């Protein structure tokens, strides 16, 4: 009885929540007649929309850009956060608490409140339409530093002793012992970083004025503006191409992400 | 040193050991400063980046907000608080603040309740539950651009599936994005849907951290499902809930992409949320002074919210 109720609730909820995504997939395979007739399932599935979207906008180029931006930003985020986390976990010095507070204080600054000066900075550095503008500002991340520090602090004392016996330097201890030990937190932060940078919208809109480094999110906006009046199937094919990478990543890393984010949220 | 030989088994982590066995010693200045040099080296990337892209722009925003700027965005004329006075008197800005607050009122409670409901039903130990969890979390992988474009199509007055459904139920069709009240509701629906994945995942994690024994003893005492929900689940989950409420508030304040794609702030500024209004002022009208003043107002609002979270969130964590 209880099980039946639960399964019913779960199924209804899943259907409602997932409907927009399923619908986007479905429309992307529809002919224009199907779309006009407001079909839910394509009567004669076709790949024309995908062919069309590949021809009408440089979507593969945008995807490539997004991939470069998201991977670089993620990698940078992991390295910069890990270095800072290492100090906060292992190297005591007078004033460390104050520096830690400085890191915390960045959580109080909404990114949008700084976008005007940041835009001016990027202009004066000559980074407009450059990958640097889309990646470097996101390398330092207080949340990432805390997440890694939490995990670094659990490194067993024996490992530290063993490292000293072996005569490892701090840096060797860092990358030979600590990094492999906290692998799961790196994975969590990596997934999180990739998802957020892949999905960025406002910043790429500001710092890209042509197609050279434009990411797929902004490409989608252009596609939508150009094609909406005429061809929804084509726009949805574009949407599907954009969401597939992150949906796969999420499905693969969901458990990991949940554990990691919860730790970050509660601690 | 002697201490170290006696107690190694009690030490669980390097952090603990470092703190416990730290002894003041008479080393040379070079040796003493070793940790400083190391810390500086490792912290430098973060500190430089925070400085350039967080602290400096925050201060510069404040600075710009006291100036009129020229077309390149450089401060041209000091005007004191005039930009703030201008905002205070601007009907458009006041409208934007009201719309943002209305938007918060629409999205935060609905979003939290929906995510909590999903987390509760997904926290049961059932066959295939992992599948449902993945579905519920899926919107976390959806970008704002993709989500907004899908909903734009669903909201379409004639081709949209939502109006088709309404007509199928013999209800009148709605002008989702063309009517000034409905437009804000439509953006709120899109936003709640987009943010549910994240809230769900965090709340599910919070639920899984609650000690199973609490429920066992409650069941022995014959407590029903809703009694357990009210007396165990919600109180034990309160730190996580509080965190999610704060994040939802901040997300609502920061909504931009869905407005840009769905309505462009219209009709008649009915969906001109604060970030969109900053964006328009700065990057369409090139009024960097007033736009910076708006950014400072936004910063103040988010600051107050986050401090409240720290204050009350901390207190609630204690009885966990």
């Amino acid at each position: 009885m209880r099980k039946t109720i639960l399964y019913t609730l779960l199924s209804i909820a899943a259907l409602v929540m997932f409907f927009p995504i399923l619908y986007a997939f479905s429309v992307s395979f529809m002919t224009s007649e199907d779309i006009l007739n407001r079909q839910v399932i394509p009567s004669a599935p076709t790949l024309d929309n995908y062919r069309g979207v590949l021809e009408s906008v440089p979507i593969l180029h945008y995807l490539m850009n997004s991939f470069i931006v998201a991977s670089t930003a993620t990698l940078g985020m992991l390295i910069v956060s890990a270095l800072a986390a290492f100090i906060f976990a292992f190297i005591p010095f007078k004033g460390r608490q104050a520096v830690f507070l400085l890191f915390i204080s960045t959580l109080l600054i909404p990114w949008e409140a700084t976008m005007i000066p940041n835009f001016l900075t990027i202009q004066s550095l000559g980074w407009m339409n450059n990958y640097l503008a889309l990646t470097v500002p996101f390398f330092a991340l207080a949340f990432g530093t805390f997440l890694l520090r939490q995990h670094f602090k659990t490194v067993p004392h024996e490992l530290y002793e063993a490292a000293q016996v072996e005569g490892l330097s701090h840096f060797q201890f860092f990358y030979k012992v600590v990094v492999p030990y906290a692998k799961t937190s790196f994975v969590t932060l990596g997934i999180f970083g990739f998802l957020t940078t892949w999905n960025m919208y406002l910043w790429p809109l500001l710092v890209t004025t042509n197609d050279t480094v434009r990411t797929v999110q902004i490409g989608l906006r252009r596609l939508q503006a150009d094609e909406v009046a005429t061809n929804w199937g084509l726009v949805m094919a574009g949407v599907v191409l954009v969401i597939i990478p992150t949906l796969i990543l999420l499905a693969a890393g969901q458990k990991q992400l949940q554990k990691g984010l919860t730790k970050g949220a509660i601690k | 040193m002697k201490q170290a030989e006696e107690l190694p088994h009690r030490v669980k982590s390097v952090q603990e050991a470092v703190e416990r066995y730290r002894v003041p010693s008479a080393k040379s200045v070079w040796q003493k400063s070793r940790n400083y040099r190391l810390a500086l080296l490792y912290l430098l990337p973060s500190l430089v980046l925070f400085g350039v892209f967080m602290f400096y722009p925050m201060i510069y925003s404040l600075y710009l907000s006291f100036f009129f700027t020229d077309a390149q965005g450089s401060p041209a004329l000091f005007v004191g608080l005039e930009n703030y006075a201008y905002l205070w008197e601007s009907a458009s800005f006041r409208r934007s603040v009201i719309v943002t607050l209305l938007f918060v009122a629409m999205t935060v409670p609905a979003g939290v309740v929906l995510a909590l409901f999903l987390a509760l039903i997904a926290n049961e130990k059932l066959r295939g539950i992992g599948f449902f969890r993945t579905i519920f979390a899926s919107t976390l992988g959806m970008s704002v651009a993709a989500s907004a474009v899908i909903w734009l199509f669903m909201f379409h007055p004639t081709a949209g599936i939502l109006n088709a459904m309404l007509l199928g139920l013999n209800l009148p069709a709605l002008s989702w994005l063309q009517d000034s009240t409905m437009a804000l509701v439509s953006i709120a629906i899109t936003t709640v849907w987009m943010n549910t994945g994240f809230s769900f995942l965090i709340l599910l994690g919070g639920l899984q951290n609650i000690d199973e024994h609490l429920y066992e003893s409650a069941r022995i005492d014959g407590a029903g499902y809703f009694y357990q929900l009210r007396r165990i689940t919600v109180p034990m989950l309160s730190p996580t809930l509080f965190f999610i409420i704060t994040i939802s508030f901040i997300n609502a304040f920061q909504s931009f992409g869905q407005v840009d794609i769905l309505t462009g702030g219209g009709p008649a500024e009915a969906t001109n949320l604060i970030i969109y209004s900053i964006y328009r002022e700065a990057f369409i009208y090139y009024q960097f002074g007033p736009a910076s003043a708006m950014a400072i107002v936004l910063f103040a609002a988010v600051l107050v919210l986050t401090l409240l979270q720290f204050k009350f969130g901390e207190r609630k964590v204690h009885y966990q």
Side-chain angles (χ1 to χ4, degrees):
Chain A
M1 180 61 197
R2 188 182 139 83
K3 264 192 179 174
T4 323
I5 295 176
L6 272 170
Y7 275 121
T8 317
L9 283 177
L10 283 166
S11 309
I12 294 173
L15 196 65
V16 172
M17 287 302 296
F18 210 52
F19 179 77
I21 298 175
L22 283 178
Y23 186 57
F25 272 92
S26 175
V27 171
S28 75
F29 293 109
M30 280 186 196
T31 58
S32 32
E33 291 86 66
D34 277 354
I35 295 173
L36 265 178
N37 295 331
R38 302 200 276 209
Q39 296 284 335
V40 179
I41 293 160
S43 61
T46 163
L47 286 173
D48 285 352
N49 294 320
Y50 288 90
R51 251 171 249 134
V53 79
L54 292 176
E55 280 163 19
S56 70
V57 286
I59 192 115
L60 292 180
H61 176 68
Y62 293 148
L63 280 167
M64 196 52 176
N65 281 339
S66 275
F67 194 76
I68 292 171
V69 166
S71 340
T72 314
T74 307
L75 194 68
M77 205 183 271
L78 289 175
I79 294 172
V80 172
S81 305
L83 288 174
F86 180 76
I87 296 296
F88 289 128
F90 298 114
I91 312 294
F93 63 92
K94 227 188 205 140
R96 192 171 77 171
Q97 209 55 35
V99 181
F100 194 64
L101 275 178
L102 198 68
F103 271 64
I104 290 185
S105 71
T106 64
L107 295 174
L108 302 176
I109 300 176
W111 181 84
E112 286 81 357
T114 60
M115 70 180 172
I116 296 169
N118 277 337
F119 174 74
L120 298 173
T121 305
I122 294 299
Q123 265 188 335
S124 61
L125 288 172
W127 284 6
M128 290 294 287
N129 294 311
N130 191 318
Y131 290 124
L132 292 172
L134 294 168
T135 50
V136 175
F138 305 98
F139 282 179
L141 183 72
F143 166 75
T145 309
F146 299 155
L147 189 80
L148 294 179
R149 168 180 168 262
Q150 250 7 67
H151 203 155
F152 288 0
K153 278 169 77 174
T154 63
V155 171
H157 187 53
E158 291 78 34
L159 283 180
Y160 187 63
E161 278 179 342
Q164 284 197 319
V165 170
E166 295 281 322
L168 294 186
S169 72
H170 273 294
F171 187 67
Q172 285 170 324
F173 174 61
F174 171 63
Y175 82 91
K176 282 191 178 157
V177 181
V178 176
V179 172
Y181 183 84
K183 205 169 53 196
T184 54
S185 286
F186 279 96
V187 174
T188 307
L189 184 60
I191 297 171
F192 173 83
F194 194 90
L195 285 178
T196 47
T197 46
W198 178 273
N199 291 341
M200 266 192 303
Y201 184 80
L202 179 49
W203 184 243
L205 189 63
L206 298 182
V207 298
T208 60
T209 53
N210 60 41
D211 280 345
T212 38
V213 303
R214 185 168 281 162
T215 61
V216 79
Q217 309 298 339
I218 310 305
L220 204 56
R221 180 198 203 232
R222 216 191 95 187
L223 179 67
Q224 181 262 124
D226 290 353
E227 303 282 345
V228 144
T230 48
N231 202 336
W232 274 103
L234 202 137
V235 176
M236 286 304 152
V239 167
V240 168
L241 291 177
V242 176
I243 61 179
I244 279 183
T246 42
L247 284 183
I248 291 175
L249 184 65
L250 188 72
Q254 181 223 326
K255 254 199 189 131
Q256 192 72 48
L257 201 60
Q258 181 200 332
K259 251 187 262 161
L261 291 179
T262 314
K263 233 186 265 168
I266 290 171
K267 290 279 154 62
Chain B
M1 203 55 217
K2 214 175 172 194
Q3 227 180 352
E5 278 155 18
E6 277 169 23
L7 291 168
H9 59 283
R10 287 230 197 130
V11 180
K12 288 205 193 72
S13 70
V14 179
Q15 161 87 6
E16 228 176 287
V18 161
E19 257 147 44
R20 187 177 303 182
Y21 302 130
R22 195 164 36 183
V23 273
S25 64
K27 290 180 197 160
S28 74
V29 177
W30 180 248
Q31 268 179 321
K32 263 192 192 164
S33 68
R34 188 163 182 276
N35 280 0
Y36 282 104
R37 284 181 284 118
L38 199 67
L40 186 66
L41 187 66
Y42 281 52
L43 291 175
L44 204 60
S46 290
L47 291 175
V48 168
L49 288 168
F50 281 145
V52 175
F53 294 109
M54 282 268 194
F55 296 120
Y56 159 73
M58 201 59 243
I59 294 163
Y60 195 65
S61 272
L62 188 64
Y63 176 77
L64 270 185
S65 76
F66 300 128
F67 284 87
F68 283 154
T69 53
D70 59 23
Q72 280 76 46
S74 333
L77 178 68
F78 179 78
V79 294
L81 292 171
E82 208 158 301
N83 284 324
Y84 292 92
Y86 162 79
L87 287 189
W88 181 251
E89 275 158 31
S90 149
S92 171
F93 179 70
R94 263 185 293 181
R95 181 94 207 253
S96 173
V97 170
I98 292 169
V99 167
T100 307
L101 292 177
L102 266 175
F103 181 70
V104 166
M106 286 178 193
T107 52
V108 176
V112 172
V113 169
L114 177 64
L116 181 61
F117 167 73
L118 295 178
L120 283 172
I121 58 174
N123 191 32
E124 303 284 340
K125 287 188 188 65
L126 292 171
R127 190 192 287 261
I129 200 72
F131 168 75
F132 289 105
R133 287 178 185 166
T134 305
I135 296 279
F136 295 160
S138 62
T139 62
L140 181 56
M142 294 291 292
S143 72
V144 62
S147 307
V149 169
I150 295 175
W151 282 92
L152 183 67
F153 183 44
M154 302 211 306
F155 287 138
H156 195 281
T158 51
I161 191 86
L162 293 177
N163 274 346
M165 286 175 179
L166 287 177
L167 290 176
L169 296 167
N170 273 328
L171 293 166
L174 289 170
S175 32
W176 296 94
L177 296 171
Q178 290 72 32
D179 175 80
S180 58
T181 323
M182 264 325 278
L184 192 62
V185 175
S186 305
I187 291 188
I189 294 173
T190 310
T191 308
V192 167
W193 180 77
M194 265 168 42
N195 292 340
T196 298
F198 178 78
S199 308
F200 162 77
L201 214 54
I202 301 284
L203 286 173
L204 181 65
L207 285 175
Q208 289 174 343
N209 276 347
I210 299 177
D211 192 350
E212 197 53 39
H213 294 106
L214 290 171
Y215 292 106
E216 269 166 35
S217 28
R219 267 195 295 273
I220 292 165
D221 293 341
Y225 179 79
F226 287 99
Y227 186 85
Q228 289 178 32
L229 183 66
R230 212 152 36 89
R231 287 303 170 90
I232 301 173
T233 311
V234 172
M236 291 308 289
L237 197 62
S238 60
T240 318
L241 266 176
F242 206 83
F243 173 77
I244 284 301
I245 291 171
T246 315
I247 293 283
S248 309
F249 259 101
I250 294 175
N251 274 340
F253 273 114
Q254 296 180 327
S255 300
F256 172 81
Q258 56 273 57
V259 178
D260 189 44
I261 287 176
L262 288 173
T263 63
E269 301 199 344
T271 55
N272 189 20
L273 296 179
I274 188 84
I275 300 287
Y276 194 77
S277 134
I278 297 176
Y279 165 77
R280 221 173 44 163
E281 199 75 19
F283 297 104
I284 294 176
Y285 305 142
Y286 294 100
Q287 296 292 320
F288 284 5
S292 299
M294 284 189 208
I296 295 297
V297 173
L298 171 79
F299 166 68
V302 172
L303 182 70
V304 169
L305 276 174
T306 321
L307 290 178
L308 281 176
Q309 146 78 9
F310 278 166
K311 191 165 181 322
F312 292 101
E314 285 294 300
R315 191 183 297 167
K316 296 211 164 150
V317 173
H318 282 310
Y319 57 76
Q320 202 186 28

